[in-house]
Short mmCIF file of all heavy atoms in Angstrom, two decimals:
data_model
loop_
_atom_site.label_atom_id
_atom_site.label_comp_id
_atom_site.label_asym_id
_atom_site.label_seq_id
_atom_site.Cartn_x
_atom_site.Cartn_y
_atom_site.Cartn_z
N ALA A 134 1.82 -4.15 10.67
CA ALA A 134 0.62 -4.53 9.95
C ALA A 134 -0.29 -5.48 10.76
O ALA A 134 -1.51 -5.24 10.81
CB ALA A 134 0.97 -5.19 8.61
N PRO A 135 0.22 -6.55 11.39
CA PRO A 135 -0.66 -7.42 12.16
C PRO A 135 -1.40 -6.72 13.27
O PRO A 135 -2.54 -7.10 13.62
CB PRO A 135 0.27 -8.50 12.68
CG PRO A 135 1.45 -8.49 11.77
CD PRO A 135 1.62 -7.04 11.38
N LEU A 136 -0.82 -5.68 13.84
CA LEU A 136 -1.46 -4.94 14.91
C LEU A 136 -2.68 -4.20 14.38
O LEU A 136 -3.77 -4.23 15.01
CB LEU A 136 -0.48 -3.93 15.54
CG LEU A 136 0.82 -4.52 16.13
CD1 LEU A 136 1.71 -3.40 16.64
CD2 LEU A 136 0.48 -5.51 17.25
N PHE A 137 -2.54 -3.55 13.25
CA PHE A 137 -3.68 -2.86 12.65
C PHE A 137 -4.75 -3.85 12.21
O PHE A 137 -5.94 -3.67 12.41
CB PHE A 137 -3.23 -2.01 11.48
CG PHE A 137 -4.39 -1.43 10.68
CD1 PHE A 137 -5.09 -0.35 11.18
CD2 PHE A 137 -4.76 -1.97 9.47
CE1 PHE A 137 -6.17 0.18 10.46
CE2 PHE A 137 -5.82 -1.45 8.75
CZ PHE A 137 -6.53 -0.37 9.23
N GLU A 138 -4.32 -4.94 11.59
CA GLU A 138 -5.26 -5.94 11.06
C GLU A 138 -6.07 -6.55 12.19
O GLU A 138 -7.29 -6.77 12.04
CB GLU A 138 -4.49 -6.99 10.28
CG GLU A 138 -3.87 -6.46 9.01
CD GLU A 138 -3.00 -7.46 8.28
OE1 GLU A 138 -2.61 -8.45 8.91
OE2 GLU A 138 -2.66 -7.23 7.10
N LYS A 139 -5.43 -6.79 13.34
CA LYS A 139 -6.15 -7.37 14.45
C LYS A 139 -7.17 -6.39 15.03
O LYS A 139 -8.29 -6.76 15.40
CB LYS A 139 -5.18 -7.80 15.53
CG LYS A 139 -5.83 -8.45 16.75
CD LYS A 139 -4.78 -8.91 17.75
CE LYS A 139 -5.45 -9.56 18.97
NZ LYS A 139 -4.44 -10.01 19.94
N ALA A 140 -6.77 -5.11 15.11
CA ALA A 140 -7.64 -4.10 15.68
C ALA A 140 -8.82 -3.75 14.79
O ALA A 140 -9.93 -3.47 15.27
CB ALA A 140 -6.84 -2.83 16.00
N SER A 141 -8.60 -3.76 13.47
CA SER A 141 -9.63 -3.23 12.55
C SER A 141 -10.41 -4.31 11.80
O SER A 141 -11.51 -4.07 11.32
CB SER A 141 -8.97 -2.32 11.52
OG SER A 141 -8.13 -3.08 10.66
N GLY A 142 -9.82 -5.49 11.65
CA GLY A 142 -10.44 -6.51 10.82
C GLY A 142 -10.10 -6.39 9.34
O GLY A 142 -10.48 -7.24 8.54
N HIS A 143 -9.39 -5.34 8.98
CA HIS A 143 -8.96 -5.16 7.59
C HIS A 143 -7.60 -5.80 7.38
O HIS A 143 -6.89 -6.11 8.33
CB HIS A 143 -8.87 -3.66 7.25
CG HIS A 143 -10.14 -2.92 7.47
ND1 HIS A 143 -11.33 -3.30 6.85
CD2 HIS A 143 -10.43 -1.84 8.25
CE1 HIS A 143 -12.28 -2.44 7.22
NE2 HIS A 143 -11.77 -1.57 8.06
N THR A 144 -7.22 -5.99 6.13
CA THR A 144 -5.90 -6.50 5.82
C THR A 144 -5.14 -5.43 5.02
O THR A 144 -5.74 -4.57 4.40
CB THR A 144 -5.97 -7.78 5.00
OG1 THR A 144 -6.72 -7.55 3.78
CG2 THR A 144 -6.64 -8.91 5.78
N LEU A 145 -3.83 -5.53 5.05
CA LEU A 145 -2.98 -4.58 4.38
C LEU A 145 -2.15 -5.27 3.29
O LEU A 145 -1.65 -6.36 3.49
CB LEU A 145 -2.03 -3.90 5.37
CG LEU A 145 -2.68 -3.05 6.45
CD1 LEU A 145 -1.64 -2.65 7.51
CD2 LEU A 145 -3.34 -1.81 5.86
N ARG A 146 -2.05 -4.61 2.17
CA ARG A 146 -1.23 -5.09 1.07
C ARG A 146 -0.25 -3.98 0.69
O ARG A 146 -0.69 -2.86 0.40
CB ARG A 146 -2.10 -5.47 -0.13
CG ARG A 146 -1.34 -5.95 -1.35
CD ARG A 146 -2.31 -6.44 -2.41
NE ARG A 146 -1.65 -6.83 -3.64
CZ ARG A 146 -1.40 -6.01 -4.65
NH1 ARG A 146 -1.81 -4.74 -4.59
NH2 ARG A 146 -0.79 -6.42 -5.74
N PHE A 147 1.06 -4.27 0.70
CA PHE A 147 2.05 -3.23 0.51
C PHE A 147 2.76 -3.33 -0.84
O PHE A 147 2.96 -4.42 -1.38
CB PHE A 147 3.12 -3.29 1.61
CG PHE A 147 2.60 -3.01 2.99
CD1 PHE A 147 2.50 -4.00 3.92
CD2 PHE A 147 2.22 -1.70 3.34
CE1 PHE A 147 2.03 -3.75 5.21
CE2 PHE A 147 1.74 -1.44 4.60
CZ PHE A 147 1.66 -2.46 5.55
N ASN A 148 3.15 -2.18 -1.33
CA ASN A 148 4.04 -2.07 -2.47
C ASN A 148 5.07 -1.01 -2.11
O ASN A 148 4.71 0.18 -1.95
CB ASN A 148 3.28 -1.68 -3.74
CG ASN A 148 4.19 -1.54 -4.97
OD1 ASN A 148 5.35 -1.95 -4.91
ND2 ASN A 148 3.67 -0.99 -6.04
N PHE A 149 6.33 -1.40 -1.92
CA PHE A 149 7.39 -0.48 -1.49
C PHE A 149 8.28 -0.13 -2.66
O PHE A 149 8.52 -0.93 -3.55
CB PHE A 149 8.22 -1.11 -0.38
CG PHE A 149 7.43 -1.43 0.86
CD1 PHE A 149 7.11 -2.75 1.17
CD2 PHE A 149 7.06 -0.43 1.73
CE1 PHE A 149 6.39 -3.06 2.32
CE2 PHE A 149 6.32 -0.72 2.88
CZ PHE A 149 6.01 -2.06 3.17
N GLY A 150 8.80 1.09 -2.62
CA GLY A 150 9.72 1.52 -3.68
C GLY A 150 10.13 2.97 -3.46
O GLY A 150 9.81 3.59 -2.45
N GLY A 151 10.90 3.50 -4.41
CA GLY A 151 11.23 4.91 -4.35
C GLY A 151 9.98 5.76 -4.45
O GLY A 151 9.06 5.44 -5.24
N SER A 152 9.88 6.82 -3.68
CA SER A 152 8.65 7.62 -3.63
C SER A 152 8.29 8.18 -5.00
O SER A 152 7.13 8.26 -5.39
CB SER A 152 8.78 8.74 -2.62
OG SER A 152 8.93 8.23 -1.32
N GLY A 153 9.33 8.62 -5.75
CA GLY A 153 9.07 9.13 -7.08
C GLY A 153 8.52 8.10 -8.03
O GLY A 153 7.61 8.36 -8.83
N THR A 154 9.04 6.89 -7.93
CA THR A 154 8.58 5.78 -8.78
C THR A 154 7.11 5.46 -8.43
O THR A 154 6.27 5.26 -9.32
CB THR A 154 9.45 4.53 -8.58
OG1 THR A 154 10.78 4.84 -8.96
CG2 THR A 154 8.95 3.37 -9.41
N LEU A 155 6.80 5.40 -7.14
CA LEU A 155 5.43 5.10 -6.72
C LEU A 155 4.45 6.20 -7.17
O LEU A 155 3.34 5.92 -7.60
CB LEU A 155 5.37 4.91 -5.21
CG LEU A 155 6.19 3.74 -4.64
CD1 LEU A 155 6.12 3.74 -3.13
CD2 LEU A 155 5.68 2.42 -5.21
N ALA A 156 4.90 7.45 -7.01
CA ALA A 156 4.03 8.56 -7.44
C ALA A 156 3.75 8.47 -8.94
O ALA A 156 2.61 8.74 -9.38
CB ALA A 156 4.69 9.92 -7.11
N ARG A 157 4.76 8.10 -9.73
CA ARG A 157 4.54 7.94 -11.15
C ARG A 157 3.53 6.82 -11.44
O ARG A 157 2.67 6.93 -12.31
CB ARG A 157 5.84 7.65 -11.86
CG ARG A 157 5.72 7.58 -13.39
CD ARG A 157 7.02 7.32 -14.07
NE ARG A 157 7.50 5.96 -13.84
CZ ARG A 157 8.56 5.66 -13.13
NH1 ARG A 157 9.29 6.62 -12.56
NH2 ARG A 157 8.93 4.39 -12.95
N GLN A 158 3.65 5.74 -10.69
CA GLN A 158 2.71 4.62 -10.87
C GLN A 158 1.28 5.05 -10.55
O GLN A 158 0.34 4.63 -11.25
CB GLN A 158 3.12 3.44 -9.97
CG GLN A 158 4.41 2.77 -10.39
CD GLN A 158 4.86 1.71 -9.39
OE1 GLN A 158 4.21 1.47 -8.38
NE2 GLN A 158 6.00 1.07 -9.70
N ILE A 159 1.12 5.88 -9.55
CA ILE A 159 -0.21 6.36 -9.21
C ILE A 159 -0.76 7.24 -10.34
O ILE A 159 -1.93 7.13 -10.75
CB ILE A 159 -0.19 7.17 -7.87
CG1 ILE A 159 0.13 6.20 -6.72
CG2 ILE A 159 -1.49 7.91 -7.64
CD1 ILE A 159 0.41 6.91 -5.41
N LYS A 160 0.09 8.10 -10.88
CA LYS A 160 -0.34 8.94 -12.00
C LYS A 160 -0.74 8.10 -13.22
O LYS A 160 -1.60 8.50 -13.99
CB LYS A 160 0.81 9.88 -12.41
CG LYS A 160 1.10 10.98 -11.38
CD LYS A 160 2.24 11.86 -11.85
CE LYS A 160 2.56 12.95 -10.84
NZ LYS A 160 3.70 13.77 -11.28
N GLU A 161 -0.09 6.94 -13.35
CA GLU A 161 -0.40 6.07 -14.48
C GLU A 161 -1.55 5.13 -14.23
O GLU A 161 -1.92 4.32 -15.08
CB GLU A 161 0.86 5.24 -14.82
CG GLU A 161 2.02 6.10 -15.37
CD GLU A 161 3.30 5.32 -15.53
OE1 GLU A 161 3.35 4.15 -15.07
OE2 GLU A 161 4.25 5.87 -16.12
N GLY A 162 -2.19 5.29 -13.03
CA GLY A 162 -3.41 4.54 -12.77
C GLY A 162 -3.25 3.29 -11.93
O GLY A 162 -4.19 2.49 -11.83
N ALA A 163 -2.10 3.10 -11.27
CA ALA A 163 -1.91 1.95 -10.42
C ALA A 163 -2.96 1.93 -9.31
O ALA A 163 -3.15 2.96 -8.66
CB ALA A 163 -0.51 1.93 -9.82
N PRO A 164 -3.65 0.83 -9.08
CA PRO A 164 -4.67 0.78 -8.06
C PRO A 164 -4.06 0.80 -6.66
O PRO A 164 -3.16 0.05 -6.35
CB PRO A 164 -5.38 -0.55 -8.30
CG PRO A 164 -4.36 -1.42 -8.97
CD PRO A 164 -3.53 -0.46 -9.82
N ALA A 165 -4.53 1.72 -5.81
CA ALA A 165 -4.02 1.85 -4.45
C ALA A 165 -5.01 2.65 -3.64
O ALA A 165 -5.85 3.40 -4.17
CB ALA A 165 -2.65 2.50 -4.44
#
């Protein structure tokens, strides 16, 4: 993450979990 942030000027915010759980969160409207 720090490598990308230094190169682009953007910042990264992560949410890690099981892929199925994350996909369900996206379907339910989780902002990402």
Side-chain angles (χ1 to χ4, degrees):
L136 301 177
F137 172 76
E138 292 173 345
K139 182 178 180 179
S141 68
H143 303 304
T144 58
L145 296 170
R146 178 174 176 269
F147 295 109
N148 180 10
F149 298 105
S152 296
T154 299
L155 296 176
R157 185 179 69 248
Q158 291 174 359
I159 292 170
K160 290 179 181 179
E161 293 173 351

